[in-house]
């Protein structure tokens, strides 16, 4: 399973959708990047293959980052998923 995380401006948690194949995940990634590169804001409607009823609509001008990674058991074992930043608490 591949996870596509999308970070929005002023939103602490990323929006996520999942794809079963690397090719499908790459296609969603390219769709988001193309929307970010276009000069005009547009609405992206994404669905999740893991949770069929999950739908996410995003305004492309509010997207600040996107990442794709493969869901692996090692991420759960280490206690954290891949991400954009790590916050350490003392």
């Amino acid at each position: 399973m591949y996870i596509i995380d999308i970070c929005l401006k002023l939103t602490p948690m990323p929006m996520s959708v999942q794809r079963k194949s690397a090719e499908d995940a790459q296609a969603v990634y390219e769709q988001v990047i193309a929307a970010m590169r276009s000069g005009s804001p547009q609405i992206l409607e994404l669905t999740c293959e893991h949770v069929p009823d999950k739908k996410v609509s995003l305004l492309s001008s509010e997207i600040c980052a996107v990442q794709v990674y493969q869901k692996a058991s090692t991420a759960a074992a280490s206690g954290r998923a891949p991400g954009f930043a790590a916050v350490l608490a003392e």
Side-chain angles (χ1 to χ4, degrees):
M1 192 64 67
Y2 293 85
I3 300 173
I4 301 98
D5 282 338
I6 302 169
C7 289
L8 301 175
K9 297 174 186 172
L10 304 175
T11 304
M13 298 296 293
M15 301 290 176
S16 299
V17 293
Q18 297 180 356
R19 293 290 183 267
K20 293 178 183 174
S21 71
E23 295 81 20
D24 291 344
Q26 186 64 30
V28 172
Y29 176 81
E30 294 295 331
Q31 178 185 7
V32 173
I33 293 296
M36 290 171 69
R37 287 185 177 146
S38 74
S40 60
Q42 51 186 291
I43 295 177
L44 290 176
E45 296 179 19
L46 304 174
T47 58
C48 183
E49 289 182 355
H50 184 68
V51 182
D53 293 335
K54 181 178 179 179
K55 296 179 183 179
V56 177
S57 295
L58 309 166
L59 186 60
S60 63
S61 62
E62 296 302 309
I63 299 171
C64 60
V66 61
Q67 74 171 345
V68 177
Y69 59 94
Q70 185 174 12
K71 185 176 182 178
S73 60
T74 57
S78 68
R80 63 186 178 103
F84 296 104
V87 178
L88 300 175
E90 291 186 26

